Amino acid sequence: MDIILPTVKGEFGETPEIEFPEGVKPPAGLRIKVLHEGDGPVVSAGDEIECEYHGQIWGGEIFDSSYYRDGKAVFPIGVGMVIEAWDEALVGRQIGTRLLISVPPFKGYGPNGNPRAGIRGDDTLAFVVDIYGIKESAFNFNTLHDN
């Protein structure tokens, strides 16, 4: 059986519009679809990245979108500072990539969900993420070690 994912309107850098397939249940596991392959440097665990993202509950409402705010989101990746699905999906991708990520609850906010954002513990989420760059950081997670 083929896994059917939402479709996305808009190119890299444009505010995406996610269209969910009618009557189709979300996939049970993490699914990642490359919508546009970048050609920049590769994102490594511990990098602080700059991106835009658009998050929507499967078949439902937008709960967060950096496209509606000034400035891009900046955060460390691959070190447990964001949801598990993002750590898995973004590490190893090239700058300039646009991804569609279908996030099951256990790779997102878990059984408690995120009530402030309107996310229940059993909600599957869909994100479109545009990776813009790797920021220079004074603190590099890759250089941590015991003395």
Side-chain angles (χ1 to χ4, degrees):
M1 177 176 195
D2 289 334
I3 294 172
I4 300 173
L5 293 174
T7 58
V8 176
K9 290 184 179 178
E11 300 298 318
F12 182 93
E14 297 176 349
T15 302
E17 183 180 323
I18 302 173
E19 294 182 353
F20 294 89
E22 210 164 301
V24 174
K25 291 186 179 199
L30 176 65
R31 297 288 183 253
I32 304 160
K33 181 177 181 181
V34 176
L35 301 173
H36 178 268
E37 186 73 57
D39 60 3
V42 174
V43 173
S44 297
D47 284 343
E48 188 172 55
I49 62 170
E50 183 178 36
C51 71
E52 294 266 26
Y53 65 90
H54 187 80
Q56 196 164 340
I57 296 170
W58 187 280
E61 299 297 314
I62 297 167
F63 60 85
D64 192 12
S65 181
S66 67
Y67 292 92
Y68 302 134
R69 294 191 292 273
D70 287 335
K72 295 173 180 61
V74 177
F75 50 84
I77 196 71
V79 293
M81 299 296 288
V82 294
I83 61 172
E84 184 178 339
W86 279 28
D87 278 345
E88 291 182 23
L90 301 179
V91 170
R93 303 295 176 173
Q94 289 181 275
I95 303 304
T97 297
R98 173 173 266 200
L99 299 172
L100 169 65
I101 309 168
S102 177
V103 181
F106 67 94
K107 295 278 186 181
Y109 294 98
N112 295 326
N114 184 338
R116 277 191 352 199
I119 300 169
R120 297 183 315 250
D122 61 350
D123 283 336
T124 295
L125 309 175
F127 286 96
V128 175
V129 180
D130 290 343
I131 308 170
Y132 279 91
I134 299 169
K135 301 288 279 185
E136 291 296 321
S137 176
F139 183 79
N140 185 336
F141 289 94
N142 291 322
T143 61
L144 291 177
H145 59 84
D146 294 325
N147 288 328

